[in-house]
Amino acid sequence: MKYAMQRLMLVALVSLLPSMTWGAQTQPLIEKVKIGVAAPLTGLQAHYGHDFLNGIILATADFNASKAIINGKQIEIVLDTADDQANSHVATAVAKKLVDDDIKGVLGHFNSGTTIPASRIYAQAGIPQIAMATAAEYTQQGFRNTFRMMTSDTQQGKVAGHFVVRKLGIKRLALVDDRTIYGKGLAEQFGKAAKEAGVIIVGREFTTNKATNFTAMLIKLKRLKPDAIFYGGADAQAAPLVKQMYRLGLKAKLISGDMVKTSSFLEMAGTAAEGTVASLAGVPLNAMPQGQKFMQKYRAHFHEEAQTYAPYSYDGAMAMFAAMKKANSTDPDKYLSALTNINIAGVTTNRFAYDKYGNLKDVRITLYQVVQGKWQALSSMPNQ
Protein backbone atom coordinates (compact mmCIF):
# COMPACT_ATOMS: atom_id res chain seq x y z
CA MET A 1 0.00 0.00 0.00
CA LYS A 2 2.83 2.36 0.92
CA TYR A 3 4.65 1.78 -2.40
CA ALA A 4 1.39 2.15 -4.40
CA MET A 5 0.78 5.59 -2.86
CA GLN A 6 4.33 6.69 -3.68
CA ARG A 7 3.87 5.60 -7.31
CA LEU A 8 0.62 7.55 -7.55
CA MET A 9 2.27 10.69 -6.15
CA LEU A 10 5.17 10.34 -8.60
CA VAL A 11 2.80 9.96 -11.56
CA ALA A 12 0.84 13.04 -10.44
CA LEU A 13 4.04 15.09 -10.10
CA VAL A 14 5.30 14.06 -13.54
CA SER A 15 1.92 14.95 -15.08
CA LEU A 16 2.32 18.51 -13.76
CA LEU A 17 5.78 19.05 -15.26
CA PRO A 18 4.68 20.05 -18.80
CA SER A 19 2.33 22.75 -17.51
CA MET A 20 4.94 24.00 -15.03
CA THR A 21 7.60 24.15 -17.75
CA TRP A 22 5.22 25.88 -20.18
CA GLY A 23 4.35 28.49 -17.56
CA ALA A 24 8.04 29.28 -16.98
CA GLN A 25 8.66 29.62 -20.72
CA THR A 26 5.97 32.28 -21.08
CA GLN A 27 7.84 34.61 -18.75
CA PRO A 28 9.67 37.13 -21.00
CA LEU A 29 13.43 37.21 -20.96
CA ILE A 30 14.88 40.56 -19.91
CA GLU A 31 17.58 42.04 -22.11
CA LYS A 32 19.62 44.94 -20.80
CA VAL A 33 20.38 47.51 -23.50
CA LYS A 34 23.20 49.94 -22.81
CA ILE A 35 22.73 53.56 -23.96
CA GLY A 36 25.53 56.09 -23.63
CA VAL A 37 24.94 59.54 -22.14
CA ALA A 38 27.58 62.28 -22.30
CA ALA A 39 27.38 65.80 -20.87
CA PRO A 40 29.30 68.26 -18.66
CA LEU A 41 28.63 66.95 -15.15
CA THR A 42 31.40 68.88 -13.39
CA GLY A 43 32.73 72.42 -13.74
CA LEU A 44 31.03 75.69 -14.71
CA GLN A 45 28.51 73.98 -16.99
CA ALA A 46 27.50 71.18 -14.63
CA HIS A 47 24.05 72.72 -14.05
CA TYR A 48 23.31 72.36 -17.77
CA GLY A 49 24.58 68.79 -17.80
CA HIS A 50 22.54 67.64 -14.82
CA ASP A 51 19.37 69.21 -16.23
CA PHE A 52 20.05 67.41 -19.52
CA LEU A 53 20.79 64.11 -17.73
CA ASN A 54 17.67 64.29 -15.55
CA GLY A 55 15.42 64.39 -18.61
CA ILE A 56 17.08 61.21 -19.91
CA ILE A 57 16.84 59.49 -16.52
CA LEU A 58 13.11 60.25 -16.39
CA ALA A 59 12.55 58.99 -19.96
CA THR A 60 14.45 55.80 -19.16
CA ALA A 61 12.38 55.19 -16.03
CA ASP A 62 9.15 55.70 -17.99
CA PHE A 63 10.23 53.43 -20.84
CA ASN A 64 11.42 50.67 -18.52
CA ALA A 65 8.13 50.86 -16.60
CA SER A 66 6.28 50.11 -19.86
CA LYS A 67 8.02 46.69 -20.01
CA ALA A 68 8.41 46.98 -23.77
CA ILE A 69 8.90 43.72 -25.68
CA ILE A 70 11.40 43.92 -28.54
CA ASN A 71 12.24 40.85 -30.60
CA GLY A 72 10.55 38.61 -28.02
CA LYS A 73 12.44 40.01 -25.04
CA GLN A 74 11.53 42.55 -22.39
CA ILE A 75 13.91 45.47 -22.77
CA GLU A 76 15.54 47.29 -19.88
CA ILE A 77 17.50 50.42 -20.79
CA VAL A 78 20.70 50.88 -18.78
CA LEU A 79 22.47 54.25 -18.95
CA ASP A 80 26.25 54.41 -19.35
CA THR A 81 26.87 57.98 -18.18
CA ALA A 82 30.08 59.94 -18.79
CA ASP A 83 31.31 63.43 -17.88
CA ASP A 84 32.86 65.20 -20.90
CA GLN A 85 33.57 68.36 -18.85
CA ALA A 86 32.48 70.53 -21.82
CA ASN A 87 35.95 69.82 -23.24
CA SER A 88 36.45 68.57 -26.81
CA HIS A 89 39.50 66.44 -25.96
CA VAL A 90 37.74 64.78 -23.05
CA ALA A 91 34.66 64.29 -25.24
CA THR A 92 36.54 62.26 -27.86
CA ALA A 93 38.03 60.06 -25.13
CA VAL A 94 34.54 59.61 -23.67
CA ALA A 95 33.16 58.69 -27.11
CA LYS A 96 35.83 56.03 -27.63
CA LYS A 97 35.13 54.54 -24.19
CA LEU A 98 31.36 54.45 -24.80
CA VAL A 99 31.87 52.71 -28.14
CA ASP A 100 34.15 50.18 -26.42
CA ASP A 101 31.39 49.66 -23.84
CA ASP A 102 29.16 48.35 -26.66
CA ILE A 103 26.46 50.98 -26.36
CA LYS A 104 23.51 50.71 -28.75
CA GLY A 105 22.97 54.47 -29.03
CA VAL A 106 24.18 57.73 -27.50
CA LEU A 107 22.19 60.60 -26.03
CA GLY A 108 24.55 63.58 -26.09
CA HIS A 109 26.76 65.35 -26.08
CA PHE A 110 25.40 68.62 -24.73
CA ASN A 111 27.73 71.29 -26.21
CA SER A 112 28.34 71.74 -29.91
CA GLY A 113 32.09 71.88 -29.25
CA THR A 114 32.02 68.39 -27.71
CA THR A 115 29.29 66.89 -29.88
CA ILE A 116 30.91 67.52 -33.25
CA PRO A 117 34.31 65.88 -32.63
CA ALA A 118 32.64 62.99 -30.78
CA SER A 119 30.11 62.51 -33.59
CA ARG A 120 32.86 61.36 -35.96
CA ILE A 121 33.66 58.48 -33.61
CA TYR A 122 30.03 57.43 -33.26
CA ALA A 123 29.52 57.69 -37.04
CA GLN A 124 32.48 55.43 -37.69
CA ALA A 125 31.03 52.89 -35.24
CA GLY A 126 27.54 53.18 -36.76
CA ILE A 127 25.92 54.27 -33.50
CA PRO A 128 22.87 56.59 -33.64
CA GLN A 129 23.45 59.87 -31.80
CA ILE A 130 20.81 62.33 -30.59
CA ALA A 131 22.48 65.46 -29.23
CA MET A 132 21.51 68.76 -27.62
CA ALA A 133 24.10 70.55 -29.79
CA THR A 134 22.71 73.48 -31.78
CA ALA A 135 25.58 74.27 -34.20
CA ALA A 136 24.46 73.94 -37.82
CA GLU A 137 27.64 71.99 -38.64
CA TYR A 138 26.59 69.02 -36.49
CA THR A 139 23.99 67.73 -38.96
CA GLN A 140 25.81 69.02 -42.05
CA GLN A 141 28.69 66.54 -41.90
CA GLY A 142 27.03 63.96 -44.14
CA PHE A 143 26.57 61.36 -41.37
CA ARG A 144 23.41 59.23 -41.33
CA ASN A 145 23.42 58.83 -37.55
CA THR A 146 23.23 62.44 -36.26
CA PHE A 147 19.98 63.84 -34.82
CA ARG A 148 18.97 66.79 -32.63
CA MET A 149 16.94 67.24 -29.46
CA MET A 150 16.20 70.93 -30.10
CA THR A 151 16.60 73.66 -32.72
CA SER A 152 19.76 74.60 -34.57
CA ASP A 153 21.55 77.95 -34.27
CA THR A 154 20.37 78.77 -37.79
CA GLN A 155 16.73 78.30 -36.80
CA GLN A 156 17.03 80.10 -33.46
CA GLY A 157 19.27 82.93 -34.65
CA LYS A 158 17.05 83.77 -37.62
CA VAL A 159 13.87 84.14 -35.56
CA ALA A 160 15.57 86.00 -32.70
CA GLY A 161 17.46 88.35 -35.04
CA HIS A 162 14.32 89.41 -36.88
CA PHE A 163 12.34 89.78 -33.65
CA VAL A 164 14.64 92.20 -31.84
CA VAL A 165 14.77 94.51 -34.84
CA ARG A 166 11.09 94.42 -35.78
CA LYS A 167 9.57 94.20 -32.31
CA LEU A 168 12.15 95.81 -29.99
CA GLY A 169 13.26 98.53 -32.39
CA ILE A 170 16.98 97.74 -32.19
CA LYS A 171 18.86 99.79 -34.82
CA ARG A 172 22.50 99.60 -33.75
CA LEU A 173 23.88 96.23 -32.65
CA ALA A 174 27.22 94.95 -31.33
CA LEU A 175 28.07 91.23 -31.46
CA VAL A 176 30.19 89.40 -28.88
CA ASP A 177 30.87 85.68 -28.60
CA ASP A 178 32.99 83.34 -26.48
CA ARG A 179 34.70 81.66 -29.49
CA THR A 180 33.07 78.30 -28.77
CA ILE A 181 31.33 76.60 -31.69
CA TYR A 182 28.00 77.30 -30.01
CA GLY A 183 28.67 80.94 -29.13
CA LYS A 184 30.27 81.87 -32.46
CA GLY A 185 27.59 80.10 -34.50
CA LEU A 186 24.67 81.65 -32.64
CA ALA A 187 26.15 85.16 -32.77
CA GLU A 188 26.80 84.87 -36.50
CA GLN A 189 23.30 83.59 -37.28
CA PHE A 190 21.69 86.23 -35.05
CA GLY A 191 23.79 89.02 -36.61
CA LYS A 192 23.00 87.84 -40.15
CA ALA A 193 19.25 87.81 -39.48
CA ALA A 194 19.32 91.18 -37.68
CA LYS A 195 21.23 92.73 -40.57
CA GLU A 196 18.66 91.35 -43.04
CA ALA A 197 15.98 93.06 -40.94
CA GLY A 198 17.76 96.41 -41.22
CA VAL A 199 20.05 96.67 -38.19
CA ILE A 200 23.52 98.24 -38.39
CA ILE A 201 26.32 96.11 -36.90
CA VAL A 202 28.49 98.69 -35.12
CA GLY A 203 30.97 96.35 -33.42
CA ARG A 204 32.25 92.75 -33.39
CA GLU A 205 34.17 91.52 -30.35
CA PHE A 206 35.38 88.18 -28.98
CA THR A 207 36.11 86.76 -25.56
CA THR A 208 36.49 83.25 -24.08
CA ASN A 209 34.26 80.88 -22.15
CA LYS A 210 36.44 81.40 -19.06
CA ALA A 211 36.63 85.22 -19.04
CA THR A 212 35.16 87.30 -16.21
CA ASN A 213 36.52 90.80 -16.88
CA PHE A 214 35.02 92.58 -19.88
CA THR A 215 35.72 96.18 -18.91
CA ALA A 216 38.13 97.11 -21.72
CA MET A 217 35.89 95.58 -24.37
CA LEU A 218 32.79 97.30 -22.98
CA ILE A 219 34.48 100.73 -22.83
CA LYS A 220 35.29 100.31 -26.51
CA LEU A 221 31.72 99.28 -27.34
CA LYS A 222 30.23 102.12 -25.28
CA ARG A 223 31.82 104.64 -27.65
CA LEU A 224 29.98 102.98 -30.56
CA LYS A 225 26.59 103.59 -28.88
CA PRO A 226 24.85 100.28 -29.63
CA ASP A 227 21.16 99.84 -28.75
CA ALA A 228 21.90 96.23 -27.88
CA ILE A 229 24.77 93.80 -27.39
CA PHE A 230 24.22 90.22 -28.48
CA TYR A 231 26.30 87.73 -26.50
CA GLY A 232 26.86 84.21 -27.82
CA GLY A 233 27.89 82.06 -24.86
CA ALA A 234 26.95 80.72 -21.44
CA ASP A 235 25.48 82.28 -18.29
CA ALA A 236 28.79 82.11 -16.39
CA GLN A 237 30.15 84.86 -18.65
CA ALA A 238 26.89 86.65 -19.47
CA ALA A 239 26.25 87.46 -15.78
CA PRO A 240 29.51 89.38 -15.13
CA LEU A 241 29.20 90.90 -18.61
CA VAL A 242 25.80 92.46 -17.89
CA LYS A 243 26.90 93.55 -14.39
CA GLN A 244 29.86 95.39 -15.90
CA MET A 245 27.62 96.94 -18.57
CA TYR A 246 25.42 98.27 -15.77
CA ARG A 247 28.39 99.57 -13.76
CA LEU A 248 29.84 101.39 -16.79
CA GLY A 249 26.50 103.03 -17.57
CA LEU A 250 26.25 101.25 -20.92
CA LYS A 251 22.54 101.57 -21.72
CA ALA A 252 22.48 98.84 -24.37
CA LYS A 253 20.17 95.87 -23.84
CA LEU A 254 21.85 92.47 -23.44
CA ILE A 255 20.46 89.83 -25.80
CA SER A 256 21.52 86.18 -25.83
CA GLY A 257 20.46 82.59 -26.45
CA ASP A 258 19.27 79.53 -24.55
CA MET A 259 22.37 79.08 -22.35
CA VAL A 260 21.66 82.44 -20.71
CA LYS A 261 17.96 81.79 -20.12
CA THR A 262 18.62 80.17 -16.73
CA SER A 263 17.89 80.73 -13.07
CA SER A 264 21.67 80.74 -12.50
CA PHE A 265 22.02 83.83 -14.70
CA LEU A 266 19.38 85.65 -12.64
CA GLU A 267 21.12 84.72 -9.38
CA MET A 268 24.59 85.74 -10.59
CA ALA A 269 23.57 88.94 -12.39
CA GLY A 270 21.14 90.24 -9.75
CA THR A 271 19.45 93.55 -10.56
CA ALA A 272 21.72 94.10 -13.59
CA ALA A 273 19.83 91.28 -15.34
CA GLU A 274 16.70 93.42 -15.64
CA GLY A 275 15.65 93.83 -19.28
CA THR A 276 17.93 91.09 -20.64
CA VAL A 277 16.38 89.20 -23.58
CA ALA A 278 17.11 85.56 -24.45
CA SER A 279 15.81 83.20 -27.11
CA LEU A 280 14.97 79.55 -26.48
CA ALA A 281 13.66 76.67 -28.54
CA GLY A 282 10.02 75.71 -28.17
CA VAL A 283 7.38 77.30 -25.98
CA PRO A 284 7.38 77.80 -22.18
CA LEU A 285 7.23 74.52 -20.26
CA ASN A 286 3.72 75.16 -18.95
CA ALA A 287 2.51 75.69 -22.54
CA MET A 288 4.12 72.54 -23.97
CA PRO A 289 1.70 69.75 -25.02
CA GLN A 290 2.68 67.60 -22.03
CA GLY A 291 4.44 70.28 -20.01
CA GLN A 292 2.22 70.22 -16.92
CA LYS A 293 2.40 66.44 -16.66
CA PHE A 294 6.16 66.53 -17.14
CA MET A 295 6.63 69.16 -14.40
CA GLN A 296 4.66 67.05 -11.92
CA LYS A 297 6.55 63.89 -12.80
CA TYR A 298 9.89 65.69 -12.62
CA ARG A 299 9.15 67.14 -9.18
CA ALA A 300 8.07 63.75 -7.86
CA HIS A 301 11.22 62.06 -9.16
CA PHE A 302 13.91 64.67 -8.41
CA HIS A 303 12.26 66.87 -5.73
CA GLU A 304 13.17 70.03 -7.67
CA GLU A 305 11.93 72.09 -10.61
CA ALA A 306 12.75 71.20 -14.21
CA GLN A 307 15.09 73.68 -15.90
CA THR A 308 15.66 74.49 -19.56
CA TYR A 309 16.90 71.31 -21.22
CA ALA A 310 15.22 68.36 -19.44
CA PRO A 311 12.03 68.31 -21.59
CA TYR A 312 14.10 68.22 -24.79
CA SER A 313 16.44 65.47 -23.59
CA TYR A 314 13.38 63.50 -22.44
CA ASP A 315 11.88 63.69 -25.94
CA GLY A 316 15.20 62.82 -27.59
CA ALA A 317 15.58 59.73 -25.41
CA MET A 318 11.99 58.66 -26.03
CA ALA A 319 12.52 59.05 -29.79
CA MET A 320 15.45 56.62 -29.65
CA PHE A 321 13.53 54.10 -27.54
CA ALA A 322 10.46 54.39 -29.80
CA ALA A 323 12.64 53.76 -32.87
CA MET A 324 13.92 50.52 -31.31
CA LYS A 325 10.37 49.41 -30.62
CA LYS A 326 9.21 50.35 -34.12
CA ALA A 327 12.09 48.42 -35.71
CA ASN A 328 11.61 45.52 -33.25
CA SER A 329 15.36 45.62 -32.73
CA THR A 330 17.99 47.27 -30.56
CA ASP A 331 20.63 46.72 -33.23
CA PRO A 332 21.86 50.21 -34.29
CA ASP A 333 21.91 49.24 -37.98
CA LYS A 334 18.31 48.04 -37.82
CA TYR A 335 16.64 50.79 -35.79
CA LEU A 336 18.47 53.71 -37.47
CA SER A 337 16.01 53.86 -40.37
CA ALA A 338 13.11 53.83 -37.91
CA LEU A 339 14.71 56.76 -36.07
CA THR A 340 15.07 58.68 -39.33
CA ASN A 341 11.32 58.32 -39.88
CA ILE A 342 10.19 58.69 -36.25
CA ASN A 343 7.11 60.76 -35.51
CA ILE A 344 5.95 60.74 -31.89
CA ALA A 345 3.96 62.99 -29.59
CA GLY A 346 6.46 64.38 -27.08
CA VAL A 347 6.56 66.68 -24.09
CA THR A 348 7.83 69.61 -26.17
CA THR A 349 5.80 69.06 -29.35
CA ASN A 350 2.99 66.91 -30.74
CA ARG A 351 5.19 66.09 -33.73
CA PHE A 352 8.70 65.08 -32.74
CA ALA A 353 10.02 64.21 -36.21
CA TYR A 354 13.17 64.72 -38.29
CA ASP A 355 13.97 66.04 -41.72
CA LYS A 356 16.47 64.25 -43.96
CA TYR A 357 19.40 65.90 -42.15
CA GLY A 358 18.37 64.99 -38.61
CA ASN A 359 17.01 68.45 -37.77
CA LEU A 360 13.63 68.74 -36.08
CA LYS A 361 10.72 69.51 -38.40
CA ASP A 362 8.46 71.21 -35.85
CA VAL A 363 10.34 74.29 -34.67
CA ARG A 364 9.15 77.20 -32.55
CA ILE A 365 11.27 79.85 -30.84
CA THR A 366 10.28 81.86 -27.76
CA LEU A 367 11.84 85.17 -26.74
CA TYR A 368 12.03 85.86 -23.00
CA GLN A 369 12.85 89.01 -21.04
CA VAL A 370 13.87 89.52 -17.42
CA VAL A 371 11.09 91.47 -15.72
CA GLN A 372 11.33 92.16 -11.97
CA GLY A 373 13.94 89.46 -11.57
CA LYS A 374 12.07 86.70 -13.45
CA TRP A 375 12.09 85.37 -16.99
CA GLN A 376 8.83 86.24 -18.77
CA ALA A 377 7.83 85.09 -22.25
CA LEU A 378 7.61 87.91 -24.79
CA SER A 379 6.59 86.08 -27.93
CA SER A 380 6.61 82.59 -29.49
CA MET A 381 7.08 82.18 -33.23
CA PRO A 382 7.56 79.34 -35.71
CA ASN A 383 10.83 79.12 -37.59
CA GLN A 384 10.45 81.40 -40.60
Side-chain angles (χ1 to χ4, degrees), residues 2-15:
K2 176 182 177 183
Y3 295 115
M5 287 294 294
Q6 288 177 337
R7 283 198 298 274
L8 283 170
M9 290 172 68
L10 182 61
V11 169
L13 181 61
V14 170
S15 69

Side-chain angles (χ1 to χ4, degrees), residues 153-172:
D153 292 338
T154 304
Q155 295 166 322
Q156 185 177 169
K158 183 176 181 180
V159 172
H162 287 178
F163 177 86
V164 299
V165 177
R166 294 169 181 170
K167 302 295 184 181
L168 300 183
I170 302 300
K171 296 178 180 178
R172 296 171 62 82

Side-chain angles (χ1 to χ4, degrees), residues 48-176:
Y48 299 131
H50 284 287
D51 180 35
F52 169 83
L53 175 60
N54 284 350
I56 295 169
I57 290 172
L58 198 56
T60 301
D62 284 351
F63 181 78
N64 286 344
S66 73
K67 298 183 178 179
I69 304 297
I70 297 178
N71 196 24
K73 298 176 182 177
Q74 182 178 317
I75 297 302
E76 180 183 341
I77 300 295
V78 178
L79 300 179
D80 188 351
T81 304
D83 177 14
D84 66 20
Q85 302 173 33
N87 181 293
S88 60
H89 298 296
V90 176
T92 53
V94 160
K96 290 172 184 176
K97 179 187 180 299
L98 290 176
V99 170
D100 289 343
D101 286 349
D102 195 30
I103 58 170
K104 302 303 180 185
V106 62
L107 298 166
H109 298 220
F110 176 82
N111 306 83
S112 296
T114 55
T115 296
I116 292 170
S119 69
R120 295 159 196 152
I121 296 166
Y122 301 128
Q124 188 174 16
I127 295 172
Q129 177 186 16
I130 308 181
M132 191 63 75
T134 59
E137 181 187 339
Y138 169 54
T139 53
Q140 292 176 351
Q141 300 175 95
F143 301 148
R144 294 176 55 245
N145 66 312
T146 53
F147 302 87
R148 295 189 192 277
M149 293 177 177
M150 64 189 304
T151 63
S152 71
D153 292 338
T154 304
Q155 295 166 322
Q156 185 177 169
K158 183 176 181 180
V159 172
H162 287 178
F163 177 86
V164 299
V165 177
R166 294 169 181 170
K167 302 295 184 181
L168 300 183
I170 302 300
K171 296 178 180 178
R172 296 171 62 82
L173 176 71
L175 300 173
V176 180

Side-chain angles (χ1 to χ4, degrees), residues 265-344:
F265 171 76
L266 298 179
E267 292 166 9
M268 291 185 288
T271 56
E274 198 70 13
T276 297
V277 173
S279 58
L280 179 64
V283 296
L285 181 56
N286 60 7
M288 289 177 182
Q290 297 182 40
Q292 296 285 355
K293 183 179 177 182
F294 181 82
M295 282 191 288
Q296 293 169 4
K297 192 181 297 185
Y298 192 99
R299 284 192 202 109
H301 198 99
F302 299 107
H303 308 292
E304 62 185 34
E305 297 298 320
Q307 299 299 311
T308 303
Y309 298 100
Y312 300 95
S313 60
Y314 180 97
D315 280 355
M318 279 301 194
M320 181 173 283
F321 305 155
M324 291 177 177
K325 196 169 180 181
K326 183 179 179 182
N328 196 33
S329 176
T330 59
D331 184 320
D333 287 335
K334 294 180 180 177
Y335 82 79
L336 179 58
S337 61
L339 181 57
T340 301
N341 297 296
I342 204 69
N343 191 336
I344 62 172

